[in-house]
Every structure is written in C-alpha cells, then in structure tokens.
Amino acid sequence: MTTLQGVVERITFHNPENGYTVAKVATRRGLVTVVGAMAGIHVGASIEMRGEWTNHPKFGQQFKVDDYRTVLPATAAGIEKYLGSGLIKGVGPVTARRIVRHFGADALRIIDEEPDRLKEVLGVGKKRVAMIKAAWIEQRQIKEVMIFLQSHGVSTGLAVKIYKHYGDAAIGVLKTNPYQLQRDIYGIGFKTADKIAMALGIPHDSPERVAAGVQYVLSEDTNEGNVFTPREKLTARAAELLEVPPELAEAAIDRLQGEQQVQIEPVRYQAKPESLQLRETQAVYLTPMYYSEVGVASRLRKLNDARLVTGITRLPAFQTFDWDQAFRYLKQQLGVALAPAQRQAVQTALTHPVTVLTGGPGTGKTTTLRAIIRLLRAAGAKFALAAPTGRAAKRMSEVTGAEARTIHRLLEVSPGEGFSFKRNADNPLDADMVIVDEASMLDVLLTNHLLKAIPPGAHLLLVGDVDQLPSVGAGNVLRDIIASGEVAVVQLQTIFRQAADSYIITNAHRINQGQMPLFSKDARDFFLFPMAETEPAADMVVDLVVRRIPRRFGIPSREIQALTPMHRGPLGVAALNQSLQTLLNPPAANKPERAQGGRVFRVGDRVMQTRNNYDLDVFNGDMGVITNIDAIMHTLTVDFDGQPAVYDWANLDELTHAWAISVHKSQGSEFRAVVMPVHTTHYIMLQRNLLYTGVTRARELVVLVGTKKAIGIAVRNDKVAERHTALAERLSERISS
C-alpha cells in the first residue's frame, strides 16, 4: 500500500448509492486522478489516502484508494482552499482569503481556539464571528458522525442530515437503533441502515432487522404505486431480501400489526384493470395507506349520497333549472354552442354531488369547464379550482380565467407538521363546488385529505384523462372511481374540428386506440427523427433542444422539454441532463455553483423538486430555476413560477436537474415543445399510456427520436401495470370497513 496526501481540486464523478468517486487531487507529484469509495470528500478537502497505483487502459495512471481520512491542511494555500470550499457557514472564498492573509497558516488554530480574534479581519463583524463559531462547532460534531459512518463502510454524505435531525444524540441513535434512520430521515433507506447494523454486530435474524426489512419492502411497493401488498408476496420478498426463513418474516408482519405500523385485512381486488375477475388476499397496508383508502371510500360515498340521504345540497338552484335557457346563455357568453356530451357534462356536474369528466385532448374538456364556471358565477355560487401540481394549476387558471391553486395550497398546508392541513373536516373549504383538474394524478393520500375538507352538500367534479399514466404516488384513484360504477361519469370523445387539424391531437388519439401515429410531410407539429443507435440518438435529442427547434420554429430552448422513459443509459434522464446543462448553462465566472453528490447546481439551472417539503411550500414535481447560490450562508434559491424557495445545502438532494425529466414526472405539465426519445433500449418502459402521456404534454410541437419499431412496441403494449388497490371494491361496498 502507498500513502498519498493532497487537496481535492475537483470531483469528476460520484455515485451517491455506493460512494464511488473519481476525483482530481493536487499532490506533491502534481494533479493526480484518484478513484474509489470516498463518499464524504468535497472540493477543497485535504485527504490522506492509502491505496495503489494502477493503469487504466483508457484513462491512464490512477491512484486506486483503499481507504482515506480527511486531515486539516497545513499550508496557507491549503487552508484558504479548505475554508473557501463552502464547508463553514459564514465563510466564502473572499472571507477565506482575508482570514488566511491575516493569520496565515495559523488560521485554523485561531478559529478553533480564539475565534473572537476573527473580528480583526476586514469585513468580519460580531454577527459573522458568531455564525462562524457555531458552524465550526457543528462541523466538528458532524465530522464525528462522518467518521463513525465511514468506519462502518457507509456513505458519509448523509452525516449532515443525521446530525441536524438528532443533534448530539446522533451517535447514540446510530449505535442503538440504526433502523430508526430509515423512518426518520429522507434519503436513508433500509440498505444503509442495515449496513450500519451489520457492522455493529446486530444479529442477522434479529426481530428489529426483520421488521425493518418488512417495512422497507412495503415502502418500496408503495413507491411503485401500490396501496397494499398481498401478504404472501410480502413474506416471500422480505424473506428473500433479508435471507431469513419465511416464518421470521411472518412473525415480523404480526409484530408490526401489533405496533399499529401496518394494518391487515382480507380483500377482494381487481388484479388488473382489464380483468373482471376479483382476487382474494390478505392485504398488508402501511397504516397511513389503509386509513387513506378507507377514508376516500367512505367520504366519497357520503358526498355522493348526501342529497339522497339527507336532502342537503349547496347548489339547490340547479335542481330546478331551465337548462335550454342556460345553454342559450352559454352560447352567447362563450361564442360557441356546446356539443351534446358537453351539455350532459355541465348538467351532470351541477346536479350530481360527485361527477367524473374524462376525455382525451381536443375533446372539449376546457370549454366544458368554462361553461360550468359561467353558470356557477351566474347563480352566485362559491367554487374552488385546484390541480395536483403548480404547473397544472397555473394552466387551469389561464384557460378558465378563474383562480386555481394546487391542492396542497387549497387545503392550506401547515409547515413543519408533515402531511397536515388547516382545511379539514373541522375547518372545511368555503365552497359549494370543488373542481379538480388533472385528476389522473391524484394519489390516495392526497385525495383523502381533499375529501376531508369538502363540506357536506358540496359538489365535487374530477376532470382528467384516465388513459394517461397513473399517479406517481400510491393508488389509481381516478380509474378506481370510474371502475366502481358508483359515481356519475361523462366521457367526451368527439374531437373538435380545430383540434383535428393538429397532428399532436390526431396522433395522441391514434396511439390511444392502438394505431401507429402518422408521420406526414404535411405535418407542422409532429415529427420523427429515425435513429437506431443510442449515442447518436442522444446527440440528436440535445441538438434539437439546443439548436434545431429554436432555429426552425422560433421556440426558445427554455420552453422545450426533453422527456424520456428511463433514468439511466445514454437516453436516460441523467445523461441528457448533463449534456443539456453543459450546452445551455455552461460554467462562467459570474455564475455561482455548488457541487453536491456528483452533480453541479449552477445559477440558471432548471431543477425539479422530488418530494413534498411543507416547510418550503414546494411539492413533488414542482419545476423552477436556480436564481441564487450563497456560498457564505450555504443556501440555494429556486424560483418556482414567481415563488422563491431557499434551500439549505443539506437539502439539495431534494432537487434534481430538469433540462430532461421522466415522462412520469411530466404529468400535469404542458410545454410548448416536447422532444422524446423512443428507443428499443427502453423496451421495459415502452407502454401505450407512457407514449400517450409524453405526446399530450406538448402544446405546439412533438419531436420523437428513435425507431418506428420502438413506437410500434409502445402502441401495441396496452397493459396497464398492475397496482394493488381496493378502492373500487370499497366504493361499491364489496369490502365492509
């Protein structure tokens, strides 16, 4: 083994899952490429590494790191780089330079032992000194957590989060119950907690480990969209994951039920949407999922039965309405006569407590919505408009001319209180009718909270396209409500003439009907670039976004969205984001940036929020632009359509770049132009509803890059992925709860 010391100059590659890193380190031998598991390093860190020299056939000589430790730099230049790296809140590159100029190589000792002397440095006042002192102490304690994690072979990138959550108790929690981490801290899963537990000598078959593993399998299933997991499937998967006998997994399930962590109930459920056959199973739910599904069913039934059972309705005027006169009024107001199905939708929504309005693009959902709102206003009724995402709410406002909010903001989310809302059964919405657009995106948790806040006798209208991808969250709410047969459903099917002129809309309907899209020389808004090889196809996607579409159609790159079915590979989200960022937002002297977890966040970057953050009032799927990075205060500011959100650097794992996004994450959004690779390497994801969803995100232009073979595979594959839900059966009371 050889020992090598140096200062990290830059991180070329970092895998957050296993900590594998490729970095350039300045040593006495010059700039050296080092590779290995070095999860905790950052630019500016002084490190001592043990390892061996190797020769890579492509990249040449490298130092392969076996283990390493961070050390405090000894030279003035090293100290300046260390302090200016963004490690200490209150010290940026300029302040670091001034501190080192004043104190030289003694700077770190001064900060550690005589921090009040920092006031001698130009620009460092009393408040800044206090900030630096607190940050230095905190950093020392975080380092203890990092050393503990590192000694047990775990990525240290999460040390800041662990310390900020548990404070001085962090090491104690890590030692006594590492499995608590997966419940308490976003970004830490079972595998990380299990690695710590194994290193600490916690038995392989300990009840705590098996219970944590069962919860992990349930959580993973929930992340896949399932509301429950059949017990036999849960037992088998947990036993395989944990490498324990199935009876231990069974015992863990019973233990979790006793602790109210899970709920178990016999259910008959529709295993596949296209199948009428019901399957019986012991369903195991995470407790919040169980009460949400039960709550959605019971609250929808109460809403739907309100007028029949209690005679209560908050829209009594529409029960004895002169509908012929109403439709004449609407023609005068809207300048267009409603089609028969649209009239039926308007009348049904205003006379039935719960209505679903569904239909594809160009079938007149927007006109129908505007007609309903006109009549509500004419009758002096109060209404609320909402959508699951900020972009969908914004578009709803634009097309209806009425204020629309995200469901979270409609329900007045309570910061710092998790999934908690000020609007609920005790403080319902002041609305006679609640209209929710993009209802295919509704998951079971959010739907339950929404229904809690709808007052007795109010009407609910769910508007959506049931043929799109299901929600990112657990459940298949819109499809289940329709399948139950318990609420009024109006489907718009006629494509209006002006919409029929659009190849986007024509092809969306063809795809939905299992037909190949048309590629015509006369098309002005729908194109295919045939590309059989993945690397050239990726280059073409980037070129279309950066140069070709802006030059040919005058649509700026910021209004073009790259969508892709996959996350990995040359045509995946990660690779496309890296290429697009390089060309559309390259580094510059006047653009602050922050490297974290192998990614570089830069002012001007398009980013997306990946989880609900109630403290910042931003939610999963919200997209924005980085407007500021403060190296002194350790914050990054994102503008989400005029609403700024300020992130602490420890929470940057909630953000991902959004130059390219997955089709799933695009739901509820609309873009002027969409560029989408459709390639046979995406075989596992080539489904009709995925292609349909991607195409319908575009307002003016769709460009597909790939092969007709791949498009054909997607068009023919109409199997909707199975999701374990029992909402349809609960609604039709085939399950009693």
Side-chain angles (χ1 to χ4, degrees):
M1 286 284 180
T2 302
T3 300
L4 192 67
Q5 280 194 347
V7 177
V8 180
E9 287 287 327
R10 70 175 180 272
I11 295 173
T12 309
F13 172 80
H14 174 75
N15 183 334
E17 292 180 9
N18 57 21
Y20 182 81
T21 304
V22 179
K24 294 289 187 182
V25 178
T27 69
R28 289 180 180 178
R29 299 174 56 131
L31 203 60
V32 170
T33 299
V34 302
V35 298
M38 298 178 288
I41 67 168
H42 57 88
V43 173
S46 291
I47 54 175
E48 181 179 280
M49 303 161 286
R50 288 195 327 126
E52 58 185 2
W53 292 99
T54 62
N55 264 301
H56 191 281
K58 183 176 180 181
F59 301 110
Q61 192 178 54
Q62 298 177 335
F63 189 75
K64 189 177 178 183
V65 177
D66 186 60
D67 63 68
Y68 80 100
R69 67 187 183 95
T70 56
V71 295
L72 291 177
T75 66
I79 292 169
E80 182 180 328
K81 198 164 190 68
Y82 175 79
L83 288 176
S85 67
L87 193 68
I88 309 299
K89 186 178 279 192
V91 180
V94 173
T95 306
R97 191 176 307 119
R98 288 173 178 172
I99 289 172
V100 172
R101 278 181 183 171
H102 190 81
F103 296 113
D106 207 25
L108 294 182
R109 187 196 66 78
I110 295 292
I111 294 173
D112 196 43
E113 298 175 11
E114 305 175 76
D116 288 330
R117 285 191 60 194
L118 290 170
K119 284 185 279 189
E120 299 171 18
V121 177
L122 178 69
V124 179
K126 201 173 182 179
K127 285 185 180 178
R128 182 74 68 85
V129 169
M131 187 188 300
I132 295 170
K133 281 167 71 173
W136 185 260
I137 293 167
E138 184 180 90
Q139 199 58 41
R140 188 187 299 147
Q141 290 162 328
I142 289 169
K143 194 171 182 181
E144 288 179 22
V145 177
M146 290 177 74
I147 291 168
F148 177 87
L149 291 172
Q150 206 174 349
S151 67
H152 292 90
V154 176
S155 160
T156 58
L158 295 162
V160 175
K161 282 197 164 192
I162 293 171
Y163 176 76
K164 286 187 180 296
H165 188 87
Y166 298 118
D168 295 337
I171 299 292
V173 171
L174 287 165
K175 286 180 177 177
T176 56
N177 185 15
Y179 294 109
Q180 190 175 331
L181 297 173
Q182 77 181 77
R183 291 196 300 269
D184 293 346
I185 301 176
Y186 173 75
I188 297 183
F190 171 78
K191 292 179 181 178
T192 300
D194 199 40
K195 203 169 185 180
I196 299 170
M198 293 294 99
L200 288 170
I202 292 175
H204 186 74
D205 59 355
S206 74
E208 290 78 16
R209 178 176 185 264
V210 181
V214 168
Q215 283 186 299
Y216 169 73
V217 173
L218 271 174
S219 296
E220 287 293 287
D221 235 21
T222 299
N223 291 338
E224 292 295 318
N226 297 295
V227 181
F228 67 81
T229 304
R231 182 163 183 155
E232 65 277 10
K233 182 179 175 184
L234 176 60
T235 300
R237 284 179 55 196
E240 182 182 4
L241 169 76
L242 300 165
E243 298 178 335
V244 298
E247 52 267 27
L248 288 184
E250 284 283 347
I253 293 170
D254 292 332
R255 172 184 171 174
L256 289 167
Q257 184 184 25
E259 294 173 353
Q260 298 291 303
Q261 296 291 320
V262 304
Q263 303 292 323
I264 303 174
E265 184 176 73
V267 303
R268 293 195 306 154
Y269 69 104
Q270 195 174 341
K272 295 184 178 179
E274 65 273 15
S275 169
L276 297 175
Q277 187 176 357
L278 296 178
R279 186 182 296 176
E280 293 194 13
T281 188
Q282 283 277 318
V284 185
Y285 292 80
L286 288 171
T287 295
M289 292 296 158
Y290 174 77
Y291 285 113
S292 291
E293 187 175 85
V294 170
V296 169
S298 63
R299 289 183 174 94
L300 265 177
R301 283 204 306 266
K302 281 179 186 173
L303 266 180
N304 205 35
D305 296 344
R307 185 164 53 85
L308 294 175
V309 176
T310 64
I312 297 173
T313 175
R314 293 180 64 127
L315 295 175
F318 294 106
Q319 303 302 325
T320 56
F321 215 48
D322 183 340
W323 287 101
D324 288 335
Q325 184 179 338
F327 292 130
R328 285 194 295 272
Y329 166 78
L330 287 172
K331 182 179 180 181
Q332 182 185 7
Q333 291 291 307
L334 301 175
V336 62
L338 297 180
Q342 290 176 304
R343 291 186 177 201
Q344 182 194 352
V346 171
Q347 191 167 345
T348 302
L350 294 172
T351 56
H352 287 67
V354 181
T355 304
V356 172
L357 172 61
T358 185
T363 56
K365 293 195 301 292
T366 297
T367 301
T368 305
L369 264 185
R370 289 168 57 207
I372 290 168
I373 291 168
R374 288 274 184 174
L375 292 182
L376 287 169
R377 281 178 167 155
K382 296 177 181 177
F383 60 90
L385 307 183
T389 67
R391 282 178 169 257
K394 185 179 180 183
R395 193 172 74 252
M396 193 182 188
S397 294
E398 289 169 353
V399 300
T400 63
E403 183 194 8
R405 288 172 282 177
T406 63
I407 296 172
H408 288 92
R409 293 191 180 104
L410 178 71
L411 300 181
E412 298 176 27
V413 67
S414 299
E417 296 179 29
F419 229 120
S420 177
F421 299 95
K422 294 175 185 175
R423 292 291 184 174
N424 49 43
D426 297 323
N427 181 31
L429 295 163
D430 184 18
D432 303 317
M433 186 171 195
V434 176
I435 303 173
V436 179
D437 198 9
E438 296 287 354
S440 62
M441 297 179 67
L442 286 172
D443 61 59
V444 71
L445 280 171
L446 187 57
T447 305
N448 188 40
H449 285 283
L450 173 66
L451 294 175
K452 283 181 188 178
I454 296 178
H459 286 220
L460 172 66
L461 173 61
L462 300 175
V463 184
D465 186 346
V466 76
D467 294 316
Q468 287 185 24
L469 289 167
S471 59
V472 174
N476 213 341
V477 173
L478 186 65
R479 189 177 288 272
D480 284 349
I481 290 173
I482 294 171
S484 75
E486 296 299 311
V487 304
V489 178
V490 180
Q491 184 171 17
L492 303 180
Q493 294 177 308
T494 303
I495 304 174
F496 288 92
R497 191 180 62 188
Q498 61 270 34
D501 292 338
S502 163
Y503 270 78
I504 294 174
I505 290 173
T506 299
N507 282 335
H509 285 273
R510 288 181 64 87
I511 290 165
N512 205 23
Q513 292 159 10
Q515 300 173 6
M516 281 291 286
L518 300 172
F519 300 102
S520 168
K521 291 178 181 177
D522 299 328
R524 297 185 302 275
D525 60 358
F526 202 102
F527 301 92
L528 169 66
F529 278 78
M531 306 290 286
E533 301 297 322
T534 54
E535 300 283 355
D539 292 341
M540 177 58 73
V541 169
V542 172
D543 196 40
L544 283 161
V545 174
V546 176
R547 283 181 283 270
R548 292 192 182 215
I549 293 175
R551 190 170 59 220
R552 168 82 182 275
F553 295 94
I555 302 174
S557 294
R558 66 178 179 275
E559 296 183 47
I560 305 168
Q561 185 62 56
L563 301 181
T564 179
M566 300 290 278
H567 284 272
R568 297 184 179 178
L571 289 167
V573 171
L576 290 176
N577 263 317
Q578 194 166 8
S579 298
L580 287 166
Q581 183 197 36
T582 300
L583 292 172
L584 292 173
N585 194 32
N590 62 342
K591 281 186 199 170
E593 59 182 46
R594 167 68 179 170
Q596 187 139 326
R599 295 177 298 167
V600 176
F601 291 104
R602 189 174 294 133
V603 167
D605 275 347
R606 278 161 63 173
V607 291
M608 174 182 277
Q609 175 74 9
T610 60
R611 66 182 290 252
N612 292 337
N613 186 320
Y614 300 99
D615 294 324
L616 293 179
D617 196 28
V618 291
F619 306 100
N620 189 1
D622 285 353
M623 293 174 69
V625 176
I626 297 174
T627 56
N628 186 51
I629 296 176
D630 191 327
I632 295 174
M633 299 305 295
H634 288 195
T635 59
L636 179 150
T637 304
V638 179
D639 184 303
F640 291 101
D641 286 326
Q643 180 191 349
V646 181
Y647 291 78
D648 187 273
W649 284 357
N651 294 325
L652 293 188
D653 59 348
E654 295 182 12
L655 291 173
T656 186
H657 288 96
W659 304 104
I661 62 175
S662 70
V663 179
H664 274 87
K665 286 288 190 182
S666 73
Q667 291 178 84
S669 296
E670 186 179 75
F671 311 97
R672 285 187 67 185
V674 161
V675 179
M676 181 176 171
V678 186
H679 201 273
T680 49
T681 53
H682 296 156
Y683 186 86
I684 194 170
M685 294 297 293
L686 291 178
Q687 296 172 342
R688 185 184 297 174
N689 60 355
L690 182 137
L691 180 58
Y692 175 75
T693 300
V695 165
T696 55
R697 297 309 88 203
R699 191 167 67 246
E700 297 178 24
L701 179 68
V702 169
V703 182
L704 303 181
V705 178
T707 64
K708 286 189 176 180
K709 180 181 178 181
I711 294 168
I713 292 169
V715 167
R716 290 190 296 272
N717 182 7
D718 66 339
K719 292 181 181 177
V720 178
E722 178 183 341
R723 285 193 171 193
H724 298 310
T725 77
L727 178 59
E729 285 61 52
R730 292 186 192 280
L731 279 168
S732 54
E733 300 187 279
R734 289 194 286 263
I735 297 175
S736 57
S737 304

